[in-house]
DNA sequence: GCTTGACCTTCCCATCATTGGAAGGACTAA
DNA sequence: TTAGTCCTTCCAATGATGGGAAGGTCAAGC
């Protein structure tokens, strides 16, 4: 099947399939004489594996490890579990950071009248030189918010 | 003071100060004859405001709005509160997504022996064509995980 | 056989906030 | 004067993804 069909069947966009090939996450495919990439059901299966890994927030690097463990019949389940649990702890760290941000903001907003008058504790706090300047410093592993790549629906 | 001193005093790196100037978040500064940027305490105050906003996860675009409200004595606190609460809801959405990922993975890992044998429910689930293929689809506003810009400590 | 439209190819660009580094000028203390 | 630290601008990379252009290919219908 062509890349478009493989994309539809796997839920990974054609763009991303080419990208994954370019970075070596998936091997180069067979091509038709005209240069079209050709995919098998097996390839689609691998792409689904990759997509489900992405959906769980694994990085491409981690997915490469997972794929290679998946294809290794001699793997130790411990190696997989280690990757998963490391990722969980990263996720939990990130969750805590976001929760701190949200709770700080919620607290500030609760004290803001939100009317037409200018007095606003939110701005006051942001402008406060004394208060926890380093209090909510996000971890290096994550940007604060940042728009990020859209996923296909 | 020079940019290096302003950076140290504000907690915003010199690189970022130049960047913020380039995108118009902060105005162009006065320069010495040699072309060095010169900052006042007032500028440092603004930079601190910006840094604290970043620490709370606001985007540069939102910060631009916050800064302009901050400097507007006629502002309505409602406008500030609206920005803050919108941001809170985005944060909460993101938190929910990450929590889903973490709980799915925790659940899978709990059922994985994590020994030297190859059997592994984590991989089985990732490879499972049937199961919730679209279950954990992250929202377009955020990448799944992605390494991101480090903040200066 | 030819046209049309849908598909494929590669290549480059943009995102967002941030860091890194190179090349070169300016300043300061010894 | 020299060494070292600071400053300047400019370019590149990050990660995962989408957008789009320019051009080749294929299948269906006429």
């Amino acid at each position: 099947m062509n890349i478009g069909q493989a994309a539809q069947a796997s839920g990974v966009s054609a763009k991303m399939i080419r990208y994954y090939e370019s970075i070596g996450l998936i091997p180069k495919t067979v091509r038709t004489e005209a240069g079209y990439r050709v995919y098998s059901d097996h390839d689609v299966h691998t792409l689904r594996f990759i997509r489900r890994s992405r959906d769980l927030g694994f990085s491409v690097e981690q997915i490469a490890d997972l794929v290679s463990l998946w294809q290794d019949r001699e793997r130790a389940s411990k190696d997989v579990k280690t990757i998963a649990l490391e990722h969980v702890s990263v996720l939990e760290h990130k969750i805590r950071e976001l929760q701190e941000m949200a709770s700080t903001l919620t607290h500030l907003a609760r004290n803001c009248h939100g009317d037409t008058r200018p007095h606003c504790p939110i701005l006051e706090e942001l402008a406060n030189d004394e208060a926890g300047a380093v209090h909510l410093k996000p971890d290096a592993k994550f940007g604060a918010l940042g728009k990020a790549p859209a996923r296909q629906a």
Side-chain angles (χ1 to χ4, degrees), chain A:
Chain A
M1 80 190 87
N2 284 342
I3 198 170
Q5 296 163 293
Q8 192 144 31
S10 66
V12 179
S13 72
K15 279 269 188 197
M16 288 313 297
I17 296 175
R18 292 192 197 99
Y19 171 70
Y20 290 152
E21 182 188 304
S22 81
I23 61 171
L25 177 56
I26 55 179
K28 295 192 177 169
T29 57
V30 175
R31 304 275 189 132
T32 66
E33 284 189 4
Y36 283 24
R37 289 172 180 81
V38 175
Y39 296 89
S40 66
D41 286 350
H42 176 75
D43 294 329
V44 169
H45 195 215
T46 303
L47 287 169
R48 284 219 189 99
F49 180 96
I50 290 171
R51 189 179 58 73
R52 289 178 57 71
S53 302
R54 280 298 295 145
D55 287 350
L56 287 170
F58 287 103
S59 68
V60 166
E61 199 182 346
Q62 288 172 311
I63 295 173
D65 292 343
L66 289 172
V67 169
S68 102
L69 287 168
W70 181 42
Q71 284 162 354
D72 175 7
R73 294 194 181 174
E74 311 281 310
R75 73 193 165 232
S77 63
K78 148 174 71 83
D79 294 339
V80 180
K81 189 167 181 172
T82 298
I83 294 174
L85 290 180
E86 264 171 24
H87 182 45
V88 166
S89 84
V90 169
L91 289 172
E92 284 172 348
H93 186 180
K94 178 65 174 168
I95 289 167
R96 257 176 275 123
E97 285 181 350
L98 295 180
Q99 279 173 338
E100 269 189 75
M101 294 180 192
S103 84
T104 300
L105 274 171
T106 301
H107 176 75
L108 291 175
R110 207 179 292 128
N111 290 309
C112 173
H113 288 299
D115 53 25
T116 58
R117 288 171 297 175
H119 172 71
C120 179
I122 300 170
L123 292 178
E124 274 169 28
E125 173 66 15
L126 287 172
N128 182 355
D129 279 351
E130 313 299 318
V134 196
H135 175 221
L136 282 168
K137 165 185 48 133
D139 169 277
K141 256 304 198 186
F142 296 97
L145 175 145
K147 190 195 133 214
R151 305 293 274 256
Q152 55 181 139

